């Protein structure tokens, strides 16, 4: 049995089990949902097993008491295969009360054949993503995002992740099955994940027949435009080049299917209060849940990335956004991007539920740190602090080795030193 790597989402799961009757863990396939959920369950129902699914389909129509038979919490793994469970479990929680009764995991949004109750007050949802570098033991964790929000006066750290190793980590991704394997096998696992998405999962997710070749081209186009504001029209033209046309309806169908699979996870825009009348752009930034999907779609090896610094930088940004999302959610926050009509952009803004926020520029190398710092200070000056808080920190997140604080107060932090 492979070693289990503890997940940051575990603390959130424990808290939600104390607050809700059922906790639903959503996220892409292979990210470790089932493995983690089983550690907090006393009864496990694996609905992906045909015999188990058939048995529980029968229970729901003829022997309802058997659906909830077993020691609590009961885990329904891949619950989207039996969507009727949602309303049944909600009813059971309403009728019999109690918190921490059920856990449900899902690698895709369920096929909705009828409208179901929202589950408000009974069901809590949490997102699980592939492993961050801190969870995969590749970040030292010497710089804590939580400490930065608590006004840490100084930082220090020494990342052990080399430039070449970052290229490998982008291509390998954070899939639990791969992080403890040898490098060659790990890269193959990431490639197999991509092939499974376009050959099988894209149709299985909602039982709509789709063309694997077209699915591959669409994901490849997304990968070409990762960490950008590419429009649907740009994606359509990219996919259609030399191969007929791709209309917006078809693109939307495929894109929505990938979103249902938790593969596409675009970064939404932050809309703060500004001192000026500058218009804030609200378009989302193209992103995947893990950078390895983009690397596999592009057929890019670690060596390819090292030889193409531009692409490497865009995929490095994707890796950093993945980790920032994991760390931010651990401390009750969300990650956005900022872009306004003056052309000012900020790669990531971390906004906590209590209104605290920090801004992050992502730069693979050290030659753009001064420019990134200048952008962060421009953003700080634009914020209307009569209606919003001052930023708790400004940070340049890099692929460098050393963490430090600049004379202007901006933190420079290697991704290989960061944690929640």
């Amino acid at each position: 049995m492979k070693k289990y790597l503890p997940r940051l989402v575990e603390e959130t799961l424990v808290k939600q089990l104390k607050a809700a009757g059922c906790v639903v863990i959503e996220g892409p396939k292979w990210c470790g949902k089932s493995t983690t959920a089983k550690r907090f369950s006393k009864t496990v129902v694996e609905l992906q097993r045909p015999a188990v699914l058939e048995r529980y389909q029968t229970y729901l129509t003829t022997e309802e008491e058997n659906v909830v038979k077993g020691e609590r919490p009961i885990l329904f793994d891949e619950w989207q295969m039996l969507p009727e469970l949602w309303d049944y479990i909600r009813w059971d929680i309403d009728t019999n009360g109690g918190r921490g009764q059920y856990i449900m995991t899902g690698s895709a949004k369920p096929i909705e054949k009828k409208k179901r109750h929202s589950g408000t007050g009974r069901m809590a949802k949490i997102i699980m993503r592939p492993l961050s570098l801190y969870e995969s033991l590749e970040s030292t964790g010497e710089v804590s995002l939580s400490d930065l929000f608590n006004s840490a006066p100084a930082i220090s750290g020494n990342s052990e992740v080399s430039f070449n190793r970052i290229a490998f980590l982008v291509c390998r991704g954070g899939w639990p099955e791969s992080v403890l394997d040898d490098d060659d096998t790990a890269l193959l696992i990431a490639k197999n994940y991509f092939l499974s998405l376009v050959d099988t999962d894209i149709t299985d997710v909602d039982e709509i027949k789709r063309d694997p070749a077209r699915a591959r081209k669409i994901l490849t186009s997304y990968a070409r435009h990762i960490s950008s504001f590419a429009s649907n029209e740009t994606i359509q033209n990219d996919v259609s080049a030399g191969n007929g046309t791709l209309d917006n309806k078809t693109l939307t169908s495929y894109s929505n299917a990938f979103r249902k699979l938790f593969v596409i996870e675009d970064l939404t825009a932050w809309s703060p209060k500004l001192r000026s009348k500058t218009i804030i752009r609200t378009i989302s930034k193209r992103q995947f849940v893990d950078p390895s999907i983009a690397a596999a779609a592009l057929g890019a090896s670690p060596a390819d990335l090292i030889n193409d610094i531009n692409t490497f930088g865009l995929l490095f940004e994707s890796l950093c956004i993945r980790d920032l999302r994991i760390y931010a959610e651990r401390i009750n926050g969300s990650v956005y991007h900022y872009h306004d009509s003056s052309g000012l952009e900020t790669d990531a803004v971390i906004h906590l539920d209590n209104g605290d926020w920090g801004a992050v520029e992502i730069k693979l190398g050290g030659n753009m740190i001064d420019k990134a710092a200048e952008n962060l200070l421009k953003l700080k000056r634009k914020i209307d602090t009569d209606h919003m808080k001052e930023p708790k920190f400004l940070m340049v997140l890099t692929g460098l080795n050393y963490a430090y604080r600049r004379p202007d107060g901006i933190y420079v932090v290697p991704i290989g030193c960061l944690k929640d």
Side-chain angles (χ1 to χ4, degrees):
M1 178 181 294
K2 287 187 177 181
K3 174 183 176 182
Y4 176 76
L5 296 172
R7 309 300 295 271
L8 294 177
V9 77
E10 290 176 19
E11 184 175 331
T12 305
L13 175 58
V14 170
K15 288 179 179 179
Q16 291 290 11
L17 283 170
K18 293 178 181 178
C22 176
V23 180
V24 183
I25 307 175
E26 297 182 329
K29 284 186 176 180
W30 296 10
C31 75
K33 299 181 302 299
S34 301
T35 303
T36 295
K38 286 175 182 178
R39 297 173 71 86
F40 295 87
S41 307
K42 295 184 177 178
T43 302
V44 178
V45 180
E46 297 179 317
L47 293 171
Q48 65 270 44
R49 296 172 58 185
V52 175
L53 177 60
E54 183 178 356
R55 185 164 73 248
Y56 274 79
Q57 286 171 330
T58 301
Y59 287 164
L60 281 173
T61 56
T62 62
E63 304 173 47
E64 289 187 345
E65 67 278 4
N66 284 325
V67 174
V68 295
K69 189 175 182 180
E71 192 173 0
R72 311 295 176 93
I74 300 174
L75 166 62
F76 288 101
D77 197 17
E78 300 295 349
W79 79 272
Q80 77 278 359
M81 302 185 77
L82 193 59
E84 296 87 349
L85 272 173
W86 179 279
D87 283 334
Y88 186 87
I89 288 175
R90 180 193 57 79
W91 173 85
D92 183 63
I93 293 169
D94 281 350
T95 303
N96 300 309
R99 298 173 182 173
Q101 300 295 300
Y102 301 95
I103 301 174
M104 300 199 298
T105 64
S107 297
K109 298 288 186 182
I111 300 172
E112 301 288 3
K113 295 182 178 178
K114 63 177 183 178
K115 186 176 178 62
R116 57 182 165 89
H117 192 282
S118 67
T120 301
R122 298 90 158 176
M123 327 282 271
K125 286 186 179 182
I126 59 177
I127 298 293
M128 190 169 184
R129 297 182 176 83
L131 291 149
S132 65
L133 294 189
Y134 181 63
E135 292 170 302
S136 62
L137 309 180
E138 283 148 325
S139 168
T140 64
E142 293 169 281
V143 180
S144 165
L145 195 62
S146 180
D147 287 346
L148 294 182
F149 271 108
N150 289 316
S151 303
I155 61 169
S156 64
N158 184 10
S159 171
E160 299 172 358
V161 183
S162 68
F163 187 79
N164 287 3
R165 191 63 181 175
I166 291 174
F168 168 79
L169 296 176
V170 165
C171 294
R172 184 205 66 190
W175 311 107
E177 282 294 313
S178 68
V179 297
L180 297 175
D181 257 311
D182 65 87
D183 288 1
D184 289 342
T185 303
L187 292 175
L188 187 59
I189 287 172
K191 180 180 179 181
N192 289 343
Y193 185 90
F194 169 73
L195 293 175
S196 176
L197 281 176
V198 298
D199 289 342
T200 304
D201 297 346
I202 190 67
T203 292
D204 288 350
V205 65
D206 53 13
E207 298 177 355
I208 296 175
K209 184 67 175 175
R210 295 187 178 89
D211 179 10
R214 175 166 281 180
R216 183 189 298 249
K217 289 175 182 175
I218 290 171
L219 272 195
T220 299
S221 181
Y222 261 82
R224 287 196 193 102
H225 298 288
I226 196 168
S227 303
S228 81
F229 301 104
S231 65
N232 275 2
E233 183 179 5
T234 298
I235 302 290
Q236 287 173 244
N237 292 338
D238 195 19
V239 173
S240 300
N243 296 284
T245 59
L246 174 67
D247 60 68
N248 191 60
K249 181 178 179 181
T250 302
L251 174 60
T252 299
S253 173
Y254 279 76
S255 299
N256 286 344
F258 285 124
R259 289 188 176 91
K260 288 178 184 177
L261 290 164
F262 305 102
V263 169
I264 289 175
E265 190 179 23
D266 292 341
L267 193 62
T268 55
W270 187 52
S271 298
K273 299 290 185 181
L274 301 181
R275 296 181 187 275
S276 66
K277 294 182 179 180
T278 305
I279 298 172
I280 297 172
R281 307 299 190 192
T282 58
I283 188 171
S284 294
K285 209 170 188 180
R286 303 289 184 182
Q287 281 297 352
F288 289 108
V289 74
D290 190 272
S292 65
I293 301 171
L298 295 171
S301 69
D304 292 330
L305 294 184
I306 292 168
N307 291 323
D308 182 353
I309 293 300
N310 183 56
T311 299
F312 190 2
L314 295 173
L315 269 63
F316 174 71
E317 181 177 333
S318 183
L319 180 147
C320 291
I321 293 298
R322 179 200 68 192
D323 283 13
L324 288 174
R325 278 171 158 159
I326 293 168
Y327 302 151
E329 288 180 3
R330 162 68 179 74
I331 57 174
N332 300 315
S334 300
V335 181
Y336 305 90
H337 75 84
Y338 176 86
H339 183 208
D340 66 34
S341 57
S342 75
L344 180 63
E345 296 181 28
T346 302
D347 295 324
V349 176
I350 304 165
H351 196 114
L352 303 189
D353 290 350
N354 65 5
D356 288 347
W357 65 278
V360 183
E361 280 280 74
I362 299 169
K363 302 300 176 187
L364 177 59
N367 61 325
M368 293 295 290
I369 288 178
D370 287 343
K371 178 63 175 176
E374 182 184 333
N375 279 356
L376 290 169
L377 292 172
K378 283 182 180 178
L379 174 63
K380 180 181 178 180
R381 290 192 292 267
K382 282 196 170 189
I383 299 302
D384 183 353
T385 53
D386 290 335
H387 295 89
M388 289 187 64
K389 296 180 180 181
E390 292 267 0
K392 285 291 186 177
F393 66 88
L394 302 173
M395 175 172 66
V396 183
L397 192 57
T398 76
L400 303 178
N401 294 111
Y402 300 106
Y404 59 96
R405 188 181 187 186
R406 289 165 46 105
D408 57 11
I410 293 174
Y411 297 101
V412 178
V413 181
I415 190 62
C417 287
L418 193 62
K419 69 169 185 177
D420 59 308

